Amino acid sequence: MTEIFFNILLALHILGGTIGLVCGILIFILRKGTRPHAILGKIFIPGMLLAGITSLIMAILHPNSFLFMVGVFTVYLGGTGARTISSKNPIANQPLDRLLQLGMVCSGLSLGYLGTVGILNGNNFGIVYLVFASIGLLMVMQDFKNSRGQQLDKKAYLRKHLQRLGGGFIASSTAFLVVNLRELPDWFPVWALWLLPTLLISPLISFHSKKYKPTP
């Protein structure tokens, strides 16, 4: 019975990840702020949250600390990105926001620890852990900074929304590559495959973010 439930979760996880990947690609291609963009965003966010939540449950049923932390990372990105655009406010200091931040802090510190231990033991995959930990913790620091009540420009929520959901698209792309590109040349390190979407997509996120420069 447990295996049947796990397989159902796996199917839902794949469905959510596929929705996130396809919608994410279209969102990047289409013009921002249009009706198609808004519609795709409303599909993309539930897909990403579905993939993240199912990851958490699967990681508990079949204990997998890395899968669990990746699930936390995905839920955090999807949750904060959605809340930012729905409220049109980058300040995240409500109980749900704090819960998402706490989960990301715990996950980030754990990833950082595993990454450090891995590198010290000669496992270069620890680089992946450290990169994801750094990204997650930096985003939480941004949340805390924004919640201090300081004056924020009018477009801050748009930049945060784009960056968080852009990070979610990186997560979907990474999962797609890792699952489907199993046969790699001997000279190509596995850890590089995990970081490839981050290296390729992050500049695009930065480029689009600059379109929403701070305004008084």
Side-chain angles (χ1 to χ4, degrees), residues 23-195:
C23 290
I25 292 173
L26 293 174
I27 287 171
F28 264 106
I29 294 174
L30 296 175
R31 183 181 176 184
K32 308 299 176 285
T34 61
R35 180 173 175 77
H37 173 91
I39 293 173
L40 287 169
K42 291 178 180 179
I43 302 173
F44 172 76
I45 292 173
M48 194 167 68
L49 291 175
L50 177 62
I53 292 171
T54 50
S55 291
L56 295 176
I57 302 174
M58 288 191 298
I60 293 173
L61 293 176
H62 287 185
N64 185 321
S65 58
F66 183 65
L67 179 62
F68 184 86
M69 287 180 280
V70 170
V72 172
F73 196 93
T74 304
V75 171
Y76 171 77
L77 290 172
T80 56
R83 286 181 59 75
T84 299
I85 197 65
S86 64
S87 64
K88 292 182 170 53
N89 190 341
I91 296 177
N93 55 10
Q94 298 302 309
L96 178 58
D97 299 314
R98 296 305 189 197
L99 180 61
L100 290 170
Q101 292 159 11
L102 176 61
M104 188 65 253
V105 168
C106 294
S107 180
L109 292 176
S110 299
L111 285 171
Y113 170 77
L114 292 175
T116 301
V117 171
I119 291 176
L120 291 176
N121 289 330
N123 183 1
N124 288 332
F125 193 80
I127 297 173
V128 175
Y129 287 71
L130 291 178
V131 170
F132 287 163
S134 299
I135 293 173
L137 292 175
L138 284 172
M139 288 184 174
V140 173
M141 289 176 61
Q142 181 188 51
D143 285 344
F144 283 124
K145 182 179 179 180
N146 291 345
S147 65
R148 291 177 181 174
Q150 62 187 45
Q151 184 66 34
L152 296 172
D153 67 87
K154 296 178 182 179
K155 294 183 179 180
Y157 81 93
L158 289 171
R159 293 195 302 276
K160 180 178 178 181
H161 168 71
L162 192 156
Q163 292 162 2
R164 298 300 167 87
L165 295 189
F169 178 58
I170 289 176
S172 298
S173 303
T174 302
F176 176 82
L177 286 180
V178 171
V179 170
N180 291 282
L181 296 182
R182 296 176 181 267
E183 299 296 330
L184 295 173
D186 293 337
W187 55 266
F188 194 90
V190 176
W191 62 266
L193 179 65
W194 278 80
L195 296 180

